[in-house]
Amino acid sequence: MSEFLDQDIKFLPGVGPQRAEMLKKELKIFTFNDLLYYFPYKYIDRTKFYRISEITGNMPYIQLKGSIVRFETTGEGVRQRLIAHFRDESGVMELLWFQGVKWVKENVKAGVEYIVFGKPTIFSGKVNIVHPELEPAENKQISAGVFQAYYNTSEKMKQKFMTSKALNKFQFNLSAQIEGKIFETLPPSLISKLKLMPLPVALRQVHFPENPHLLKNALFRLKFEELFYIQLRILSLKHNREGSFKGFIFSKVGYNLNTFFSNHLPFELTNAQKKVVKEIRKDMGSGKQMNRLLQGDVGSGKTLVALMTALIAFDNGFQVSLMAPTEILANQHYNSIKKMTDGLGINVALLTGSTKKAKRTVIHEQLEDGSLQLLIGTHALIEDKVNFQKLGLVIVDEQHRFGVAQRAKLWKKNEFTPPHVLVMTATPIPRTLAMTVYGDLDVSVIDELPPGRKPIQTLHYYENRRKQVYDFIREQVTVGRQIYIVYPLIKESEKLDLKNVENGYDLLKQVFPRYSISMVHGKMKPAEKDAEMQLFKEGKTQIMVATTVIEVGVDVPNASVMIIESSERFGLSQLHQLRGRVGRGAEQSYCLLMSSYKISNESRKRLETMVRTNDGFEIAEVDMQLRGPGDLEGTQQSGIGFTLKIANLGRDGEILQHARNQASDLLDEDPKLQKQENQILVYHLLKMKNTEFNWSSIS
Ligand code: ADP
Ligand code: MG
């Protein structure tokens, strides 16, 4: 970057100290360069002029040319509004202002020809535009291009007239000074190979497009570059890691896996499970240290894959740790794995926050002398006191619940060779996002559910149909099924949250006096939670009232109904996770989404999506469109600040794939980026590292 572009934004003509403060505070624009990289969020065609007589209902933003005949003011104080009667050769309409009336009166003149821009509405037969943009017709310099760029600004800025138009003007002033001061950021070979638009041209076209074709190329160039650098960074980290760490070689498949496979396997593996176990085996036998993400929708049978992976480690004489995000889940894994491996002679232990001191001491000893083969637990596993003799494999379940740092600690449990790492997640992540967030991991996907599962039927009920819901519960319990009823977590108040569940519990006891009801919430002691969970698992209680603590992993195949109270308060991926608690047995399962009448459009879209599909990946795509990738569950903890300036992971999947391929090819040719012409890449990678990105060696 040139010194010129590093200048404080206050020195840009038209900005000055006060506006600069606003730009810094509201938009994080500190320098000329920041402004240059503050991109428009949309473009509008400003070549076409409509006539007033052509206006119909439901039009987008349009442009008109004409003049104001007269002004009229109605109302007083805050009720005051200004009406301008505006005409062109085809008719008359009204322009309305509720705010900034004084400014308009002082600056807009009757009788002068204006270009009016805005979204028309038709109100009781009359056409009007509220808060239009006006520009004297003779003074068209800035919007000279075909498309007008629009920039986001904040409410605070708008109050000070720092609108999109003002930003446009700043961009214009900047563009006037910038000739010869922008330097290319990609190697010339790449630019010519991909026929990319040169950077200075792209930056000019993106703010002041001359025609749709140039705009398209400019957008492509800038998006490509942004995604290319991210992929280059991820992939070069991966290369470095693979170059500097050797992995344990698990060459054998022996007694444990074979015996389990022929005598203990409770069912046939699905093809997807088989495929994934094969991928994992190959990886762990290759001499590389495995870093693999196992993705699979809820109920796809990831636990079994994890167990088989562990058995391979035992066959090669190594220890394994399996980390789960909650005590309930750790317990469940412990119990089911103990049961499945019964008779194999594997020494398994459970370590959680509530493990007694005496038991802990034994575990620590057995880990160090190597007699304990599998340690299952919560993040208690990460503690420094936990030392393994020969840790060969680390499995992390529901990995989106853990931070990067927590996983990194497990990685470092061995002094020399890091263990193989398998992280599992049921939070379906769109492919584009996975390539970015987990871009340095290899990915295996279980894309098939065990056979015989009937798709869960999902229904949305408003409050007034509660009685039918109760009748339905009765019906299901009568035929031997069990029911979950989940209440939302209320972030603002944990007390309220608890009250919510407890009230629900009391109410249900009244409605169903003859049923046994369990309750689990975050404020209970782990032992109490487990006891309640156990009762439900064994079928001794019919209804489980809970908060989202049961969201991940819990497996009770006989439970066939999931009722989610105030479902409008939940995020999509959370709803999907909760629904995944049912539909695990052979019976038809149901998910009932209860909501009040008043719900936002976004909530409605979420509930509709849940009713429409059971496909976790489809749900993840919708989630990403609704919330934007930065908010997607799992990304906050990934250690990557999502600060994409121009590319959009939801829409630019193809460009991302292209960028990843190019980055990968480039690293194949020049793995350490030593070629002279690639020094430009090294320079920008270093700069990235120092600024926005915060990667760990195992993101
Ligand atoms: P998740 O992928 O959500 O962790 P689980 O591992 O908990 O899923 O498995 C869900 C349920 O499916 C469990 O009850 C498990 O025993 C069962 N299951 C796993 N694999 C198979 C299979 N191949 N055939 C039939 N049932 C299976
Ligand atoms: Mg699971």
Side-chain angles (χ1 to χ4, degrees):
M1 200 198 309
S2 63
E3 268 172 41
F4 173 79
L5 286 173
D6 274 336
Q7 287 179 85
D8 191 315
I9 193 67
K10 73 179 176 204
F11 298 121
L12 186 75
V15 177
Q18 271 174 13
R19 293 199 185 97
E21 273 317 299
M22 195 69 113
L23 287 171
K24 291 174 190 175
K25 226 163 107 192
E26 298 292 306
L27 302 180
K28 307 262 176 294
I29 295 175
F30 295 91
T31 63
F32 286 16
N33 193 65
D34 293 339
L35 180 66
L36 190 60
Y37 280 83
Y38 189 73
F39 295 119
Y41 71 97
K42 69 171 180 190
Y43 299 89
I44 285 172
D45 186 346
R46 306 272 322 233
T47 47
K48 163 117 181 113
F49 288 93
Y50 282 85
R51 292 147 65 95
I52 293 175
S53 61
E54 291 173 318
I55 298 176
T56 57
N58 210 10
M59 274 181 141
Y61 283 82
I62 61 163
Q63 213 171 204
L64 303 152
K65 201 191 280 183
S67 53
I68 291 166
V69 191
R70 66 187 169 89
F71 286 103
E72 187 185 324
T73 324
T74 64
E76 290 288 325
V78 288
R79 294 275 185 91
Q80 195 185 45
R81 64 162 69 182
L82 179 67
I83 305 169
H85 297 267
F86 177 80
R87 81 178 316 153
D88 65 9
E89 70 274 24
S90 77
V92 208
M93 65 179 291
E94 290 180 354
L95 308 177
L96 294 175
W97 286 269
F98 305 107
Q99 281 161 15
V101 167
K102 186 163 163 272
W103 186 89
V104 177
K105 275 184 172 164
E106 282 167 11
N107 290 280
V108 178
K109 304 270 173 292
V112 177
E113 185 168 60
Y114 281 103
I115 292 169
V116 170
F117 180 74
K119 189 171 163 44
T121 44
I122 300 182
F123 188 70
S124 54
K126 271 195 204 164
V127 180
N128 66 49
I129 295 182
V130 178
H131 290 179
E133 269 181 38
L134 292 180
E135 199 179 323
E138 46 167 27
N139 161 23
K140 268 205 77 187
Q141 42 143 1
I142 291 176
S143 47
V146 169
F147 288 115
Q148 165 100 44
Y150 277 77
Y151 299 89
N152 276 318
T153 63
S154 68
E155 274 315 309
K156 264 201 192 130
M157 291 176 69
K158 282 186 190 120
Q159 281 165 19
K160 297 270 186 254
F161 304 104
M162 284 176 71
T163 55
S164 167
K165 206 164 145 191
L167 271 151
N168 210 287
K169 180 113 195 178
F170 299 154
Q171 295 286 7
F172 186 76
N173 295 345
L174 181 59
S175 74
Q177 300 195 13
I178 217 160
E179 192 72 42
K181 292 184 172 117
I182 298 173
F183 304 112
E184 189 48 72
T185 44
L186 291 172
S189 59
L190 196 63
I191 292 186
S192 63
K193 178 173 148 204
L194 302 178
K195 301 200 175 54
L196 294 174
M197 186 181 262
L199 184 63
V201 184
L203 284 170
R204 175 160 185 92
Q205 289 297 326
V206 83
H207 293 294
F208 302 99
E210 278 168 56
N211 65 49
H213 177 71
L214 289 174
L215 175 59
K216 194 169 152 231
N217 287 347
L219 287 171
F220 180 84
R221 145 84 212 212
L222 295 168
K223 288 175 177 185
F224 174 85
E225 166 166 351
E226 185 167 46
L227 297 169
F228 174 80
Y229 268 105
I230 292 176
Q231 291 303 322
L232 189 67
R233 175 124 182 86
I234 296 171
L235 293 174
S236 59
L237 276 177
K238 186 164 185 265
H239 272 236
N240 288 344
R241 190 186 61 210
E242 287 169 4
S244 46
F245 294 110
K246 289 239 173 335
F248 295 123
I249 301 180
F250 291 0
S251 54
K252 280 185 284 194
V253 166
Y255 171 79
N256 289 299
L257 190 68
N258 289 334
T259 317
F260 178 78
F261 201 79
S262 37
N263 302 339
H264 291 72
L265 199 58
F267 24 62
E268 173 104 8
L269 291 178
T270 61
N271 285 330
Q273 283 170 321
K274 282 185 204 158
K275 176 193 75 185
V276 164
V277 171
K278 223 184 248 167
E279 285 168 1
I280 292 171
R281 250 184 73 183
K282 189 166 161 220
D283 210 1
M284 294 195 305
S286 71
K288 251 183 10 174
Q289 182 245 354
M290 174 171 81
N291 270 285
R292 187 165 285 274
L293 172 72
L294 175 57
Q295 270 198 63
D297 212 342
V298 277
S300 59
K302 293 185 292 295
T303 317
L304 195 61
V305 171
L307 174 60
M308 294 178 68
T309 307
L311 292 171
I312 299 173
F314 306 148
D315 278 338
N316 288 275
F318 285 88
Q319 293 171 300
V320 176
S321 73
L322 166 57
M323 184 162 77
T326 63
E327 292 216 21
I328 294 181
L329 199 53
N331 258 305
Q332 180 183 291
H333 281 326
Y334 176 73
N335 291 325
S336 70
I337 286 177
K338 264 211 91 85
K339 210 163 109 196
M340 282 198 274
T341 56
D342 189 35
L344 274 178
I346 294 164
N347 188 4
V348 189
L350 177 70
L351 179 68
T352 67
S354 42
T355 306
K356 294 269 158 19
K357 181 123 193 294
K359 179 91 194 148
R360 250 170 219 265
T361 313
V362 176
I363 291 177
H364 289 163
E365 282 169 15
Q366 292 193 347
L367 279 177
E368 287 180 32
D369 71 22
S371 58
L372 185 62
Q373 287 160 288
L374 174 58
L375 182 61
I376 299 175
T378 52
H379 42 263
L381 296 186
I382 320 176
E383 285 171 15
D384 290 335
K385 275 173 289 182
V386 181
N387 291 312
F388 294 79
Q389 190 204 41
K390 217 176 164 193
L391 180 64
L393 169 68
V394 167
I395 302 170
V396 182
D397 194 16
E398 306 295 351
Q399 79 80 38
H400 66 282
R401 292 287 184 109
F402 293 101
V404 170
Q406 286 173 310
R407 272 179 278 133
K409 267 188 138 174
L410 271 173
W411 230 63
K412 292 184 184 121
K413 285 270 169 203
N414 286 353
E415 204 173 334
F416 299 111
T417 311
H420 294 300
V421 177
L422 180 68
V423 298
M424 308 197 287
T425 180
T427 304
I429 302 164
R431 231 172 58 85
T432 48
L433 193 60
M435 263 200 267
T436 310
V437 183
Y438 304 115
D440 69 331
L441 302 184
D442 294 303
V443 180
S444 287
V445 184
I446 306 186
D447 50 7
E448 175 188 14
L449 293 178
R453 299 259 173 90
K454 296 197 179 74
I456 302 163
Q457 276 187 32
T458 304
L459 301 157
H460 174 199
Y461 281 98
Y462 289 110
E463 263 316 310
N464 64 334
R465 294 177 68 191
R466 187 165 286 283
K467 188 174 169 308
Q468 274 130 296
V469 173
Y470 289 154
D471 290 343
F472 182 68
I473 293 177
R474 225 167 261 127
E475 211 176 275
Q476 288 285 308
V477 173
T478 308
V479 295
R481 304 283 101 73
Q482 290 168 281
I483 320 280
Y484 290 105
I485 304 182
V486 176
Y487 290 85
L489 200 79
I490 298 166
K491 275 212 191 89
E492 310 86 77
S493 154
E494 282 188 17
K495 267 199 202 124
L496 214 60
D497 174 23
L498 189 62
K499 191 160 161 272
N500 220 12
V501 198
E502 284 178 335
N503 286 349
Y505 180 74
D506 291 342
L507 178 72
L508 287 158
K509 283 202 107 145
Q510 283 171 27
V511 182
F512 302 109
R514 278 185 289 149
Y515 297 162
S516 309
I517 304 179
S518 285
M519 173 164 64
V520 168
H521 57 71
K523 282 275 166 296
M524 287 161 77
K525 295 230 168 65
E528 286 175 278
K529 272 194 257 182
D530 285 339
E532 291 284 305
M533 209 52 229
Q534 207 50 38
L535 285 175
F536 188 65
K537 253 191 129 147
E538 288 165 8
K540 294 189 174 130
T541 56
Q542 285 87 48
I543 299 177
M544 165 60 81
V545 175
T547 53
T548 48
V549 289
I550 60 142
E551 175 189 333
V552 289
V554 176
D555 186 34
V556 182
N558 190 50
S560 64
V561 182
M562 166 62 67
I563 298 173
I564 305 176
E565 295 286 348
S566 308
S567 57
E568 72 271 25
R569 288 170 172 264
F570 291 82
L572 251 180
S573 84
Q574 223 177 8
L575 290 171
H576 181 64
Q577 289 290 323
L578 285 168
R579 176 168 63 182
R581 297 308 110 220
V582 298
R584 303 181 150 242
E587 305 303 329
Q588 176 63 55
S589 292
Y590 303 88
C591 173
L592 308 184
L593 305 169
M594 305 297 297
S595 88
S596 63
Y597 287 106
K598 268 202 190 157
I599 58 178
S600 69
N601 281 340
E602 207 181 301
S603 297
R604 190 175 307 282
K605 181 101 207 253
R606 287 199 295 265
L607 300 183
E608 279 169 10
T609 305
M610 287 294 292
V611 171
R612 186 185 75 239
T613 180
N614 274 308
D615 179 343
F617 286 92
E618 190 181 336
I619 288 171
E621 296 286 349
V622 175
D623 201 22
M624 191 149 109
Q625 281 159 16
L626 286 178
R627 298 207 283 170
D631 275 342
L632 214 63
E633 206 173 315
T635 58
Q636 294 97 330
Q637 294 195 324
S638 67
I640 301 171
F642 256 92
T643 45
L644 291 179
K645 286 193 163 81
I646 191 160
N648 176 307
L649 292 179
R651 286 191 292 267
D652 298 324
E654 259 177 61
I655 305 179
L656 175 59
Q657 182 66 60
H658 186 52
R660 186 171 172 92
N661 295 345
Q662 293 303 326
S664 172
D665 289 354
L666 196 134
L667 286 171
D668 283 346
E669 270 175 42
D670 185 13
K672 298 220 152 96
L673 297 180
Q674 285 163 328
K675 283 190 187 165
Q676 185 53 40
E677 70 155 44
N678 287 337
Q679 293 321 296
I680 192 168
L681 298 173
V682 176
Y683 172 78
H684 284 284
L685 282 175
L686 269 174
K687 228 172 62 185
M688 263 170 99
K689 191 174 162 192
N690 295 337
T691 54
E692 49 198 290
F693 284 81
N694 170 26
W695 305 79
S696 135
S697 59
I698 57 152
S699 60

